[in-house]
Amino acid sequence: MRRLLDALHDPADLADAVRDPRVSLSRHELLGRAAALARELDGARTVAVHATPGVETVVAITAALLAGVKAVPVPPDAGELERAHLLRDSGAELMLSDDPGAGGTIVPITRKRPPGDVPAEPGPDTAALVLYTSGTTGPPKGVVLSRAALAADLDALAEVWQWTADDTLVHGLPLFHVHGLVLGVLGPLRLGSRLAHTGRPTPQMYAATRGTMYFGVPTVWSRICAAPAQARELRSARLLVSGSAPLPVPVFDDLRALTGQAPIERYGMTETLITVSTRADGERRPGHVGLPVPGVETRLIDEAGGIGHLQVRGPTLFDGYLNQPPREDGWYTTGDVATIGPDGWHRIVGRASTDLIKTGGYRVGAGEVEDALLLHPAVREAAVVGIPHPDLGEQITAYVVADSVRGEELTAFVAERLAVHKRPRVVHLVGELPRNAMGKVQKAVLKHG
């Protein structure tokens, strides 16, 4: 197997290989700083990284991967209880951070150090990252990802997105999730492309930073579409990639109109990395996430009415949860509900726990109702959940951010476009929807009040 950070070792140096609004490093400078820091990690098994949005985090993660120790990214805004849980559960012996108050035993990232030799490449089955994912029934769980899984996914996406060393990736996403860290940092380091991290994913920063590829979550793309002048600055880009949550069809359409190209959508989760995607040289279909990436298989189980529970298998899957038995090989149940068309195209309906609504003997996908609501010109955002109901089992309930419209109008609007049993029985007009750091609507908050 090639080295995980393959292009970082390329003797052909690349100026400003990694940059943020304050700092720019060539490939040679990044490798030198990371190798010097890696020498201080000798003997450690697990290190935490205070994952601030900038070059410092890139250096720290690279150092941990060079040293062959597990890296645990810690959100910079983590509360005291969350940070304590991550450090205790992961057993991290050190915290890589320039903030003395970050917690744990601090090792500064940017301190000047004498040059260090690049360690030998660990085996492909060596655990590389532990990414914590929020559960609905307890504290966050550590997802263990091997070097082989990371490499397999990045190579698959390189093929699907035609991602090469000639690209410059621009994004301002957090560096403690798959989207911003694995795809947004390790991708360029493996494939040799430049990375420009904007610090924050604002329309102004994206418009001011020239690149060929831009990553964003739906909230980012929605805000860019609301700033047409900034959106038009992205017309020279080769790819606009959206993920981490479903992209509303109106935002898809607005992006296409403003930038001259439809966005790429893809699907994945922390435990599986990215398993389904639209291709750079293929169709881009609104409301759909495309086809399985090379090496990955998918299937639906418990299918009814064309909707089923999505399972995946392939080389991108995680090893298991930290401090729990290893994951068994084979099919992994994602917990998401999907449809797969005759042509193999996937549409993600949502989470089985919140987005598959069983009402009056029917199965209704929340995403289908949300898409219908978003077609109304007054509606800016919509989230649909099933609320327990004594007669129906679950009642379709919508939470809508809209201007100058009544709930009854929206119910009738959906009933005209979908089967009547799919209409929301109740519509709550709200000022905003609760979202997490990646822009995903927190439906459990809506569902449970």
Side-chain angles (χ1 to χ4, degrees):
M1 188 184 96
R2 296 160 50 205
R3 287 178 289 198
L4 176 58
L5 307 179
D6 197 53
L8 186 61
H9 302 265
D10 192 324
D13 195 27
L14 184 65
D16 67 357
V18 178
R19 70 180 190 272
D20 64 24
R22 300 171 296 106
V23 182
S24 177
L25 297 180
S26 69
R27 193 157 53 200
H28 176 75
E29 290 170 329
L30 172 59
L31 181 60
R33 293 190 188 190
L37 177 55
R39 185 170 55 185
E40 291 191 26
L41 309 184
D42 187 39
R45 292 175 296 178
T46 305
V47 299
V49 176
H50 190 212
T52 55
V55 166
E56 293 87 353
T57 296
V58 179
V59 172
I61 290 290
T62 304
L65 294 174
L66 289 177
V69 304
K70 294 193 292 290
V72 182
V74 177
D77 61 349
E80 183 178 343
L81 291 178
E82 180 184 4
R83 183 169 57 248
H85 168 70
L86 266 58
L87 295 178
R88 180 177 61 253
D89 188 69
S90 68
E93 297 127 292
L94 304 170
M95 168 68 84
L96 308 188
S97 175
D98 286 334
D99 180 357
T105 302
I106 301 291
V107 176
I109 298 170
T110 58
R111 182 173 65 195
K112 290 216 177 271
R113 297 175 170 87
D117 295 330
V118 177
E121 178 78 0
D125 294 331
T126 304
L129 297 175
V130 180
L131 301 183
Y132 276 81
T133 183
S134 296
T136 56
T137 58
K141 296 181 291 186
V143 175
V144 182
L145 295 165
S146 70
R147 303 174 77 91
L150 297 171
D153 201 52
L154 295 172
D155 289 348
L157 291 176
E159 177 180 335
V160 169
W161 295 345
Q162 299 178 347
W163 188 356
T164 73
D166 293 329
D167 282 304
T168 295
L169 171 62
V170 177
H171 74 88
L173 300 173
L175 300 185
F176 46 88
H177 289 302
V178 168
H179 197 169
L181 177 60
V182 176
L183 277 59
V185 171
L186 301 189
L189 296 185
R190 180 166 179 80
L191 303 174
S193 58
R194 287 180 167 89
L195 166 62
H197 195 279
T198 61
R200 296 178 60 229
T202 65
Q204 294 74 22
M205 292 300 295
Y206 274 39
T209 309
R210 288 284 177 245
T212 60
M213 301 171 64
Y214 290 77
F215 286 174
V217 299
T219 302
V220 171
W221 295 122
S222 177
R223 291 173 181 172
I224 287 174
C225 288
Q230 281 76 35
R232 293 188 184 99
E233 291 295 323
L234 306 185
R235 293 183 71 89
S236 62
R238 187 177 66 79
L239 285 184
L240 308 178
V241 182
S242 183
S244 297
L247 184 69
V249 172
V251 178
F252 181 103
D253 292 339
D254 287 347
L255 264 180
R256 177 165 50 189
L258 289 165
T259 68
Q261 65 165 296
I264 288 284
E265 295 187 68
R266 85 299 184 282
Y267 164 79
M269 55 194 305
T270 308
E271 289 88 344
T272 67
L273 301 177
I274 307 306
T275 51
V276 180
S277 180
T278 307
R279 297 188 65 94
D281 58 355
E283 181 186 357
R284 305 179 191 184
R285 192 179 301 177
H288 293 72
V289 292
L291 302 165
V293 303
V296 170
E297 298 174 86
T298 64
R299 70 181 184 185
L300 299 181
I301 61 171
D302 300 327
E303 188 175 359
I307 299 176
H309 295 261
L310 182 65
Q311 291 188 324
V312 302
R313 70 177 175 184
T316 70
L317 270 62
F318 72 133
D319 291 344
Y321 294 109
L322 193 66
N323 304 320
Q324 295 187 25
R327 181 187 64 83
E328 294 183 5
D329 290 335
W331 292 99
Y332 176 75
T333 302
T334 64
D336 286 316
V337 181
T339 66
I340 302 177
D343 56 1
W345 271 71
H346 289 54
R347 172 186 169 87
I348 306 301
V349 175
R351 296 296 292 170
S353 57
T354 55
D355 291 302
L356 181 61
I357 302 171
K358 299 177 182 178
T359 180
Y362 295 99
R363 282 185 174 191
V364 177
E368 184 180 15
V369 183
E370 290 163 358
D371 286 345
L373 285 165
L374 288 165
L375 292 174
H376 193 287
V379 174
R380 289 181 279 128
E381 296 181 84
V384 171
V385 297
I387 300 297
H389 189 274
D391 178 46
L392 298 170
E394 288 184 300
Q395 172 183 271
I396 300 175
T397 303
Y399 293 80
V400 177
V401 180
D403 300 314
S404 303
V405 67
R406 294 182 297 114
E408 295 84 355
E409 293 178 55
L410 295 177
T411 295
F413 183 83
V414 173
E416 291 172 358
R417 286 156 178 78
L418 303 177
V420 173
H421 69 267
K422 296 180 180 180
R423 72 193 187 283
R425 301 286 182 132
V426 176
V427 175
H428 297 287
L429 297 172
V430 297
E432 63 180 8
L433 299 177
R435 296 180 182 273
N436 64 15
M438 293 301 291
K440 292 182 181 180
V441 175
Q442 295 177 300
K443 290 195 172 181
V445 174
L446 297 174
K447 195 166 185 175
H448 302 295

PDB file of all heavy atoms in Angstrom, residues 34-55:
ATOM      1  N   ALA A  34       5.976  18.574  11.123  1.00  0.00           N
ATOM      2  CA  ALA A  34       5.263  17.404  11.618  1.00  0.00           C
ATOM      3  C   ALA A  34       6.227  16.312  12.072  1.00  0.00           C
ATOM      4  O   ALA A  34       6.007  15.652  13.099  1.00  0.00           O
ATOM      5  CB  ALA A  34       4.331  16.876  10.530  1.00  0.00           C
ATOM      6  N   ALA A  35       7.324  16.108  11.339  1.00  0.00           N
ATOM      7  CA  ALA A  35       8.305  15.088  11.730  1.00  0.00           C
ATOM      8  C   ALA A  35       8.965  15.448  13.049  1.00  0.00           C
ATOM      9  O   ALA A  35       9.199  14.584  13.902  1.00  0.00           O
ATOM     10  CB  ALA A  35       9.349  14.918  10.625  1.00  0.00           C
ATOM     11  N   ALA A  36       9.273  16.740  13.243  1.00  0.00           N
ATOM     12  CA  ALA A  36       9.881  17.170  14.504  1.00  0.00           C
ATOM     13  C   ALA A  36       8.927  16.960  15.667  1.00  0.00           C
ATOM     14  O   ALA A  36       9.330  16.519  16.758  1.00  0.00           O
ATOM     15  CB  ALA A  36      10.290  18.637  14.399  1.00  0.00           C
ATOM     16  N   LEU A  37       7.640  17.266  15.468  1.00  0.00           N
ATOM     17  CA  LEU A  37       6.656  17.037  16.526  1.00  0.00           C
ATOM     18  C   LEU A  37       6.436  15.549  16.756  1.00  0.00           C
ATOM     19  O   LEU A  37       6.275  15.104  17.906  1.00  0.00           O
ATOM     20  CB  LEU A  37       5.340  17.719  16.142  1.00  0.00           C
ATOM     21  CG  LEU A  37       4.153  17.543  17.092  1.00  0.00           C
ATOM     22  CD1 LEU A  37       4.500  17.973  18.519  1.00  0.00           C
ATOM     23  CD2 LEU A  37       2.950  18.311  16.569  1.00  0.00           C
ATOM     24  N   ALA A  38       6.476  14.761  15.693  1.00  0.00           N
ATOM     25  CA  ALA A  38       6.263  13.317  15.821  1.00  0.00           C
ATOM     26  C   ALA A  38       7.305  12.686  16.733  1.00  0.00           C
ATOM     27  O   ALA A  38       7.014  11.723  17.454  1.00  0.00           O
ATOM     28  CB  ALA A  38       6.295  12.663  14.433  1.00  0.00           C
ATOM     29  N   ARG A  39       8.534  13.213  16.714  1.00  0.00           N
ATOM     30  CA  ARG A  39       9.582  12.663  17.569  1.00  0.00           C
ATOM     31  C   ARG A  39       9.211  12.782  19.044  1.00  0.00           C
ATOM     32  O   ARG A  39       9.550  11.916  19.860  1.00  0.00           O
ATOM     33  CB  ARG A  39      10.894  13.395  17.288  1.00  0.00           C
ATOM     34  CG  ARG A  39      12.091  12.824  18.053  1.00  0.00           C
ATOM     35  CD  ARG A  39      13.391  13.425  17.551  1.00  0.00           C
ATOM     36  NE  ARG A  39      13.362  14.889  17.606  1.00  0.00           N
ATOM     37  CZ  ARG A  39      14.340  15.651  17.137  1.00  0.00           C
ATOM     38  NH1 ARG A  39      15.389  15.101  16.540  1.00  0.00           N
ATOM     39  NH2 ARG A  39      14.272  16.972  17.225  1.00  0.00           N
ATOM     40  N   GLU A  40       8.473  13.831  19.427  1.00  0.00           N
ATOM     41  CA  GLU A  40       8.070  14.006  20.820  1.00  0.00           C
ATOM     42  C   GLU A  40       6.927  13.076  21.221  1.00  0.00           C
ATOM     43  O   GLU A  40       6.599  12.969  22.407  1.00  0.00           O
ATOM     44  CB  GLU A  40       7.658  15.454  21.084  1.00  0.00           C
ATOM     45  CG  GLU A  40       8.815  16.427  21.027  1.00  0.00           C
ATOM     46  CD  GLU A  40       8.432  17.801  21.543  1.00  0.00           C
ATOM     47  OE1 GLU A  40       7.493  17.878  22.366  1.00  0.00           O
ATOM     48  OE2 GLU A  40       9.058  18.786  21.104  1.00  0.00           O
ATOM     49  N   LEU A  41       6.318  12.415  20.240  1.00  0.00           N
ATOM     50  CA  LEU A  41       5.212  11.517  20.537  1.00  0.00           C
ATOM     51  C   LEU A  41       5.670  10.077  20.700  1.00  0.00           C
ATOM     52  O   LEU A  41       4.844   9.183  20.916  1.00  0.00           O
ATOM     53  CB  LEU A  41       4.162  11.598  19.408  1.00  0.00           C
ATOM     54  CG  LEU A  41       3.691  13.005  19.025  1.00  0.00           C
ATOM     55  CD1 LEU A  41       2.593  12.919  17.975  1.00  0.00           C
ATOM     56  CD2 LEU A  41       3.227  13.781  20.237  1.00  0.00           C
ATOM     57  N   ASP A  42       6.964   9.847  20.590  1.00  0.00           N
ATOM     58  CA  ASP A  42       7.514   8.493  20.704  1.00  0.00           C
ATOM     59  C   ASP A  42       7.104   7.877  22.038  1.00  0.00           C
ATOM     60  O   ASP A  42       7.289   8.479  23.092  1.00  0.00           O
ATOM     61  CB  ASP A  42       9.036   8.534  20.577  1.00  0.00           C
ATOM     62  CG  ASP A  42       9.637   7.147  20.529  1.00  0.00           C
ATOM     63  OD1 ASP A  42       9.036   6.272  19.891  1.00  0.00           O
ATOM     64  OD2 ASP A  42      10.701   6.936  21.152  1.00  0.00           O
ATOM     65  N   GLY A  43       6.542   6.693  21.990  1.00  0.00           N
ATOM     66  CA  GLY A  43       6.123   5.997  23.201  1.00  0.00           C
ATOM     67  C   GLY A  43       4.656   6.171  23.522  1.00  0.00           C
ATOM     68  O   GLY A  43       4.089   5.388  24.290  1.00  0.00           O
ATOM     69  N   ALA A  44       4.018   7.184  22.968  1.00  0.00           N
ATOM     70  CA  ALA A  44       2.587   7.382  23.204  1.00  0.00           C
ATOM     71  C   ALA A  44       1.787   6.446  22.306  1.00  0.00           C
ATOM     72  O   ALA A  44       2.207   6.101  21.198  1.00  0.00           O
ATOM     73  CB  ALA A  44       2.192   8.832  22.940  1.00  0.00           C
ATOM     74  N   ARG A  45       0.640   6.055  22.776  1.00  0.00           N
ATOM     75  CA  ARG A  45      -0.248   5.224  21.964  1.00  0.00           C
ATOM     76  C   ARG A  45      -1.405   6.033  21.376  1.00  0.00           C
ATOM     77  O   ARG A  45      -1.859   5.754  20.277  1.00  0.00           O
ATOM     78  CB  ARG A  45      -0.799   4.066  22.799  1.00  0.00           C
ATOM     79  CG  ARG A  45       0.246   3.030  23.194  1.00  0.00           C
ATOM     80  CD  ARG A  45      -0.330   1.993  24.114  1.00  0.00           C
ATOM     81  NE  ARG A  45      -0.743   2.592  25.391  1.00  0.00           N
ATOM     82  CZ  ARG A  45      -1.314   1.927  26.376  1.00  0.00           C
ATOM     83  NH1 ARG A  45      -1.570   0.627  26.236  1.00  0.00           N
ATOM     84  NH2 ARG A  45      -1.650   2.530  27.499  1.00  0.00           N
ATOM     85  N   THR A  46      -1.862   7.028  22.130  1.00  0.00           N
ATOM     86  CA  THR A  46      -2.997   7.843  21.705  1.00  0.00           C
ATOM     87  C   THR A  46      -2.744   9.285  22.113  1.00  0.00           C
ATOM     88  O   THR A  46      -2.328   9.548  23.248  1.00  0.00           O
ATOM     89  CB  THR A  46      -4.308   7.359  22.346  1.00  0.00           C
ATOM     90  OG1 THR A  46      -4.503   5.968  22.071  1.00  0.00           O
ATOM     91  CG2 THR A  46      -5.504   8.144  21.818  1.00  0.00           C
ATOM     92  N   VAL A  47      -2.980  10.220  21.197  1.00  0.00           N
ATOM     93  CA  VAL A  47      -2.847  11.630  21.530  1.00  0.00           C
ATOM     94  C   VAL A  47      -4.112  12.364  21.110  1.00  0.00           C
ATOM     95  O   VAL A  47      -4.741  12.022  20.098  1.00  0.00           O
ATOM     96  CB  VAL A  47      -1.618  12.279  20.859  1.00  0.00           C
ATOM     97  CG1 VAL A  47      -0.339  11.619  21.320  1.00  0.00           C
ATOM     98  CG2 VAL A  47      -1.725  12.237  19.343  1.00  0.00           C
ATOM     99  N   ALA A  48      -4.493  13.350  21.893  1.00  0.00           N
ATOM    100  CA  ALA A  48      -5.600  14.221  21.520  1.00  0.00           C
ATOM    101  C   ALA A  48      -5.052  15.417  20.748  1.00  0.00           C
ATOM    102  O   ALA A  48      -3.908  15.829  20.955  1.00  0.00           O
ATOM    103  CB  ALA A  48      -6.347  14.683  22.770  1.00  0.00           C
ATOM    104  N   VAL A  49      -5.872  15.955  19.879  1.00  0.00           N
ATOM    105  CA  VAL A  49      -5.496  17.140  19.102  1.00  0.00           C
ATOM    106  C   VAL A  49      -6.580  18.190  19.296  1.00  0.00           C
ATOM    107  O   VAL A  49      -7.758  17.936  19.009  1.00  0.00           O
ATOM    108  CB  VAL A  49      -5.338  16.818  17.603  1.00  0.00           C
ATOM    109  CG1 VAL A  49      -5.055  18.096  16.816  1.00  0.00           C
ATOM    110  CG2 VAL A  49      -4.223  15.798  17.388  1.00  0.00           C
ATOM    111  N   HIS A  50      -6.172  19.341  19.800  1.00  0.00           N
ATOM    112  CA  HIS A  50      -7.095  20.457  19.950  1.00  0.00           C
ATOM    113  C   HIS A  50      -7.359  21.003  18.550  1.00  0.00           C
ATOM    114  O   HIS A  50      -6.564  21.756  17.997  1.00  0.00           O
ATOM    115  CB  HIS A  50      -6.463  21.511  20.861  1.00  0.00           C
ATOM    116  CG  HIS A  50      -7.395  22.592  21.277  1.00  0.00           C
ATOM    117  ND1 HIS A  50      -6.980  23.876  21.500  1.00  0.00           N
ATOM    118  CD2 HIS A  50      -8.732  22.590  21.524  1.00  0.00           C
ATOM    119  CE1 HIS A  50      -8.002  24.620  21.870  1.00  0.00           C
ATOM    120  NE2 HIS A  50      -9.071  23.856  21.887  1.00  0.00           N
ATOM    121  N   ALA A  51      -8.502  20.587  17.960  1.00  0.00           N
ATOM    122  CA  ALA A  51      -8.715  20.741  16.519  1.00  0.00           C
ATOM    123  C   ALA A  51      -9.274  22.114  16.159  1.00  0.00           C
ATOM    124  O   ALA A  51     -10.410  22.252  15.713  1.00  0.00           O
ATOM    125  CB  ALA A  51      -9.626  19.638  16.008  1.00  0.00           C
ATOM    126  N   THR A  52      -8.447  23.134  16.328  1.00  0.00           N
ATOM    127  CA  THR A  52      -8.825  24.478  15.893  1.00  0.00           C
ATOM    128  C   THR A  52      -8.809  24.530  14.363  1.00  0.00           C
ATOM    129  O   THR A  52      -8.105  23.750  13.712  1.00  0.00           O
ATOM    130  CB  THR A  52      -7.859  25.522  16.463  1.00  0.00           C
ATOM    131  OG1 THR A  52      -6.524  25.164  16.082  1.00  0.00           O
ATOM    132  CG2 THR A  52      -7.945  25.576  17.985  1.00  0.00           C
ATOM    133  N   PRO A  53      -9.565  25.451  13.754  1.00  0.00           N
ATOM    134  CA  PRO A  53      -9.686  25.463  12.293  1.00  0.00           C
ATOM    135  C   PRO A  53      -8.531  26.175  11.601  1.00  0.00           C
ATOM    136  O   PRO A  53      -8.654  27.324  11.178  1.00  0.00           O
ATOM    137  CB  PRO A  53     -11.015  26.210  12.074  1.00  0.00           C
ATOM    138  CG  PRO A  53     -11.117  27.128  13.250  1.00  0.00           C
ATOM    139  CD  PRO A  53     -10.479  26.402  14.405  1.00  0.00           C
ATOM    140  N   GLY A  54      -7.401  25.488  11.466  1.00  0.00           N
ATOM    141  CA  GLY A  54      -6.266  26.123  10.818  1.00  0.00           C
ATOM    142  C   GLY A  54      -5.084  25.199  10.650  1.00  0.00           C
ATOM    143  O   GLY A  54      -5.160  23.989  10.913  1.00  0.00           O
ATOM    144  N   VAL A  55      -3.969  25.773  10.228  1.00  0.00           N
ATOM    145  CA  VAL A  55      -2.771  25.007   9.888  1.00  0.00           C
ATOM    146  C   VAL A  55      -2.224  24.243  11.090  1.00  0.00           C
ATOM    147  O   VAL A  55      -1.678  23.141  10.937  1.00  0.00           O
ATOM    148  CB  VAL A  55      -1.708  25.958   9.295  1.00  0.00           C
ATOM    149  CG1 VAL A  55      -0.342  25.295   9.252  1.00  0.00           C
ATOM    150  CG2 VAL A  55      -2.114  26.392   7.885  1.00  0.00           C
TER     151      VAL A  55
END
